Amino acid sequence: MDLAPLNIPYLWVVGLSMAAALMFLAAGRALSRRKPRILTVPSKPAPDAHSLLDGLLASALGGVIVLRAVRDPSREIIDFEIRMTNPAAEQLVGRCGQHMMGASLLSLLPCVRASGLFEDALTVVTSGLPFRADRYIRQTETWYQIAAVRHGDGLVVTFADINHRKSTEEQLRHAAEHDALTALPNRKHFTEHLEQAIHRARRSPAYRFAVLFLDFDRFKIINDSLGHEAGDQLLINIAQRLTTNLRSVDTASHGRTAGHLPARLGGDEFVVLLDGIGSEDAAAAAARRLLDAFAKPHRIAGHEVVSTASIGIVLFDPRYTQADEMLRDADTAMYQAKSDGKARFVIFDEAMHQAIVDRLALERELRQAVADCAFELYYEPIVALDDGKLAGFEALIRWPHPTRGLIMPDQFITLAEELGLIPDIGRWVIQTAARQWRAWRNAHPNMQHCTIGVNLSRHQLFDPTLLDTVRDAIAESELPPGALRIEVTESVVMTDMDHMSRVLTDLKSLGVQLAMDDFGTGHSSLHCLHRLPLDVLKIDRSFISRESPRNKHYSAIVHAIMALAHNLHMQVVAEGVETADQLSMLQALTCNFAQGYHLSRPLPPDQAERLFQTTCPLPAPPAPPASTGRASSYTARPKPSAILPS
Ligand code: C2E
Ligand code: CA
Ligand code: CA
């Protein structure tokens, strides 16, 4: 028996009248049992219980009916006889008291049987358990709150019309399940509906459906350029177009009214449950119809605007057990539609599914790898171009995966950022690199001039524990702070100059070196460069690429970067040196340092350590370029005697 939310005033009245009725009945029974001769103390005159009851029943806002069971010869209850009513009951039933007294309940109110209340009444009489419920009586189109308790061989029933409360509840429910702007069902409502559809489709293979995920391609631009009111109007138009066009989408189940459900998830994201649609063709036809509808312009705030849709489609498949899974896949397909060029639909397929499964597995494994510190650092040598000697290393993280092999940072650093794992990984990298430096230093005193570089990702620069991490790592490994070089990419630094300038200044105060990585790709302004406490510029490898020695344009850029850096008292490292030509070009341009596959691949620690035993690790240089005036300085350099292992 379900208990409805409490209606306090009504229950108070009903409760009072019930209590009074029961008190009266109990008092009546007690009085009839009492023998006058044992009354030794003169008592006050007994209250007129009948008139008290009459008063209470007459003034009660709820209806009260007292019923007595009518039984057949086998003692089965076949009806109830109305023994007492109050004015509210007479009003609610619409009969006068005279008509009701002594009448058969089932004859007077046939709806009692039709609504199942007769069975409830039988249960109360036989079990003695009280009853309370809200019931909608179809015959009178009214909601009643009904309570009943057993009394003798019958019942006392109280009831009240709660239509008003029910309609308020309905309004609240509607508001909670619909989007205020477009009046479409909202995410909550849609998700519940989708759960039911999944449940139904899993039970009955004959029922199939599809989910469309729609995102509007230019909504943000329109919203930003024409203002929020125009944006709201566009969303309202979109909702109307969606609803109108869905009406004409066919379903596989002909002859049945399709229950396609459109909804707004938020922003410019809409979804549709295509009821009864089980084939890719039918879903595609529906998507095409919607795409056509949205290709037509809207007239908003005096402007004609077009906001095409990108649609992701997912068809029900028994592997789906939850709404979230289908929405996720429809969303993935929608993103695919967007990246394929917008204003189109994409149906979620096995390859996308596999990509998601792989990603989820990778996520799980990455979390585990972080917990186990299951990474390695490789060390890429950096060579001084004036004497050809090893000047330091850049530490580059690797994830040795039991089945996937050595995973490179480009394949997991972004994921680690998304999962919030970067502070842990970053701490491990800094500590490990610092300890490695200390171990090498202890074994090879001749390497103490070497620096060790670590890369920081964007999230690390917003991590409040970064400064402590660096400070602790330096202290723990007794690393001279100047031997640690922290690399931050130019594009990251340029996104939030004020913040970055503060963080870099704080790091600098620890005594470490700071390098701007991938320089030339992030559009730094000279003014910004000047504001940052940088020691090193690392020229991005795109400037050093294969063509560059013969490409005057690039070598001019490298030359300009070098001049700029030297004016700002920074040193320059050229990244990605892959050929001897590139190396000689950089030497001719008096670049300070270089790294790259021509010099060495990044090496595991034991191989990197061997470099301390070689005297001159720079590969044999080609003949000096005759045309530059720097050739003499180049030839004056020591002849390298060894090539780094590759
Ligand atoms: P990066 O800092 O620019 O590192 C240089 C990348 O270029 C390295 O790739 C290196 O192996 C590669 N490289 C070096 N020389 C050459 C060359 O001559 N030719 C070519 N084609 N490539 C060369 P890797 O190790 O895959 O690292 C990629 C990026 O991942 C790094 O770019 C860095 O941004 C990031 N990364 C590496 N380790 C870490 C780390 O510990 N923490 C963070 N946050 N990021 C890291
Ligand atoms: Ca780097
Ligand atoms: Ca770089």
Side-chain angles (χ1 to χ4, degrees), residues 144-221:
Y144 292 101
Q145 188 173 50
I146 301 168
V149 288
R150 184 164 72 185
H151 165 58
D153 191 24
L155 303 160
V156 177
V157 182
T158 61
F159 59 109
D161 175 341
I162 52 164
N163 262 348
H164 182 67
R165 191 191 90 196
K166 282 286 173 190
S167 83
T168 311
E169 279 173 16
E170 176 54 31
Q171 281 166 16
L172 289 174
R173 198 178 57 79
H174 188 272
E177 291 186 339
H178 288 78
D179 169 45
L181 180 68
T182 61
L184 285 184
N186 60 13
R187 179 187 288 272
K188 174 178 179 291
H189 187 170
F190 186 83
T191 308
E192 284 167 7
H193 197 84
L194 180 53
E195 295 282 359
Q196 285 166 13
I198 292 174
H199 199 62
R200 184 174 158 201
R202 290 176 67 81
R203 275 196 330 255
S204 147
Y207 177 67
R208 284 295 174 261
F209 67 95
V211 172
L212 306 191
F213 200 114
L214 296 90
D215 185 281
F216 287 84
D217 297 327
R218 295 178 61 249
F219 176 74
K220 193 172 151 29
I221 300 172

Side-chain angles (χ1 to χ4, degrees), residues 214-392:
L214 296 90
D215 185 281
F216 287 84
D217 297 327
R218 295 178 61 249
F219 176 74
K220 193 172 151 29
I221 300 172
I222 295 167
N223 199 39
D224 290 349
S225 56
L226 297 183
H228 286 243
E229 264 181 41
D232 284 357
Q233 189 53 52
L234 178 58
L235 292 171
I236 293 169
N237 286 13
I238 286 172
Q240 282 167 353
R241 254 184 221 187
L242 195 56
T243 313
T244 315
N245 284 280
L246 278 177
R247 281 194 203 113
S248 49
V249 168
D250 297 330
T251 57
S253 43
H254 297 291
R256 189 169 63 82
T257 319
H260 304 320
L261 184 79
R264 180 176 174 221
L265 290 190
D268 62 341
E269 287 182 348
F270 291 79
V271 278
V272 176
L273 189 149
L274 288 178
D275 185 35
I277 285 201
S279 74
E280 291 196 354
D281 287 350
R288 248 179 244 117
R289 178 183 292 276
L290 295 178
L291 286 176
D292 288 348
F294 289 115
K296 297 187 184 107
H298 300 263
R299 181 115 201 121
I300 307 269
H303 299 265
E304 283 224 327
V305 295
V306 178
S307 183
T308 51
S310 293
I311 304 180
I313 302 176
V314 63
L315 288 141
F316 173 78
D317 178 293
R319 73 166 173 251
Y320 292 118
T321 56
Q322 278 168 14
D324 281 358
E325 297 163 353
M326 281 195 84
L327 281 174
R328 178 200 63 203
D329 290 354
D331 190 20
T332 303
M334 185 277 289
Y335 266 98
Q336 191 61 51
K338 265 205 186 308
S339 57
D340 287 355
K342 303 182 178 174
R344 67 195 59 219
F345 68 86
V346 164
I347 299 179
F348 186 79
D349 62 14
E350 203 37 52
M352 288 183 216
H353 173 67
Q354 198 48 49
I356 289 181
V357 171
D358 287 350
R359 187 193 145 105
L360 290 176
L362 194 69
E363 270 184 38
R364 207 176 40 247
E365 290 163 356
L366 185 55
R367 286 183 200 281
Q368 193 56 47
V370 171
D372 300 344
C373 292
F375 300 101
E376 284 174 4
L377 286 185
Y378 273 44
Y379 296 89
E380 181 170 341
I382 298 174
V383 172
L385 291 182
D386 57 354
D387 60 6
K389 288 199 174 131
L390 182 67

Side-chain angles (χ1 to χ4, degrees), residues 380 394 396-398 408-410 413 429 455-457 460 517-518 541 575-578 596-597 602:
E380 181 170 341
E394 175 176 1
L396 295 162
I397 192 166
R398 304 288 181 258
M408 304 303 270
D410 290 342
I413 290 289
V429 168
N455 292 283
L456 295 193
S457 64
Q460 281 173 278
D517 206 354
D518 303 345
R541 88 178 130 82
E575 296 186 295
V577 178
E578 291 181 348
Y597 294 169

Side-chain angles (χ1 to χ4, degrees), residues 611-627:
L611 298 181
F612 300 127
Q613 282 127 28
T614 61
T615 46
C616 188
L618 192 66
S627 58

